[in-house]
Amino acid sequence: QVQLVESGGGLVQAEGSLRLSCSASGSIFNLNAMAWYRQAPGKQRVLVATITRRGTTNYADSVKGRFTISRDNPKNTVYLQMNSLKPEDTAVYYCSVDDRGVYYWGQGTQVTVSS
């Protein structure tokens, strides 16, 4: 099985920055798409950003221009650079990876943005 370990969450002031990391380990065969989701209190989990193996990215309108997703394929790691953070970005952030059609999820990391 594939295990995902997330890190980088924490408390930050509005307009500040954080970088989230998610590293995959275990029985990895071929990681395809990687993505970040988030879930705010009392709300459903929503897609934040995706990135393909070749580096094509896509972003939710709410984070476009502020967040950047990237990946390091030799390290099996995906990153989410978050700039100009807003209180509405407060949520638990989850990474997700596709390994030969099987999808895996991390346990989530808390991001709290104070006003």
Side-chain angles (χ1 to χ4, degrees):
Q1 286 288 332
V2 175
Q3 293 180 321
L4 302 178
V5 179
E6 299 158 326
S7 63
L11 176 65
V12 65
Q13 290 182 300
E15 301 302 320
S17 299
L18 285 174
R19 188 183 71 169
L20 306 183
S21 299
C22 176
S23 297
S25 62
S27 299
I28 300 172
F29 294 94
N30 185 24
L31 294 180
N32 193 6
M34 308 178 84
W36 286 97
Y37 290 74
R38 68 185 183 187
Q39 186 169 20
K43 298 185 178 180
Q44 296 187 13
R45 189 175 303 183
V46 297
L47 180 65
V48 175
T50 61
I51 185 168
T52 69
R53 289 169 56 189
R54 300 183 65 177
T56 300
T57 60
N58 198 7
Y59 299 91
D61 289 340
S62 59
V63 306
K64 194 172 300 182
R66 300 187 297 120
F67 290 10
T68 302
I69 188 172
S70 61
R71 63 191 290 167
D72 186 337
N73 289 334
K75 295 183 178 180
N76 294 318
T77 300
V78 61
Y79 305 93
L80 186 67
Q81 178 66 46
M82 305 184 294
N83 299 326
S84 301
L85 283 163
K86 305 175 180 180
E88 51 262 44
D89 294 319
T90 295
V92 177
Y93 284 71
Y94 301 87
C95 65
S96 179
V97 302
D98 167 20
D99 184 33
R100 300 201 309 177
V102 178
Y103 293 83
Y104 300 89
W105 293 85
Q107 294 300 309
T109 183
Q110 176 70 48
V111 172
T112 302
V113 183
S114 62
S115 59

